[in-house]
Amino acid sequence: MPAPCLQLPAALAAMIALSGPLSAQQLYLDDAAACDRVLISEDGVLDYAAEGGLILDSSGFNSMEYFCSFQPPIRFGQRSYSATDHTGRCELPGPQYFPQLFTIVLDPEEPGTVSIWMGEAEPLRFFACSS
């Protein structure tokens, strides 16, 4: 039972790290319209995650109570079309774990968009936020 207690602080630590200066790391959200609101607030990333919004980094995506991690990490900045497979898992409180295969597509015709296919009819899309 101690594992859930350890996972939540790790997820919070990741979000707090993201809430620092954005120049070091690009911010990707699952809702492009939320970028301005998140970027103007000091607690924007934490508030967005608490509302259930998903935040992507190179090794996974998460909100306050949902977390998916994968390997190998995404290599952002590809200049050509890229579709790569990544293995990992998603986790819900409880803890509940779900093994997962992720196909991640970076398409230069959709700059700033990362599409993650997880077996659904449509991919989960993340959008780069810029300040």
Side-chain angles (χ1 to χ4, degrees), residues 51-130:
E51 296 166 2
L54 295 173
I55 303 156
L56 173 71
D57 65 28
S58 64
S59 62
F61 55 90
N62 63 308
S63 69
M64 194 62 77
E65 295 191 9
Y66 181 65
F67 181 79
C68 291
S69 62
F70 44 74
Q71 286 293 326
I74 298 174
R75 293 182 57 206
F76 294 112
Q78 303 274 63
R79 298 195 192 286
S80 62
Y81 181 88
S82 169
T84 55
D85 293 330
H86 305 250
T87 58
R89 69 171 184 258
C90 293
E91 182 178 343
L92 294 167
Q96 299 176 39
Y97 299 98
F98 304 94
Q100 187 71 51
L101 175 65
F102 305 89
T103 298
I104 298 173
V105 176
L106 302 172
D107 187 345
E109 292 186 22
E110 295 183 66
T113 301
V114 177
S115 299
I116 301 180
W117 295 86
M118 301 179 352
E120 303 294 324
E122 291 293 321
L124 178 58
R125 286 191 171 86
F126 289 90
F127 306 93
C129 296
S130 57

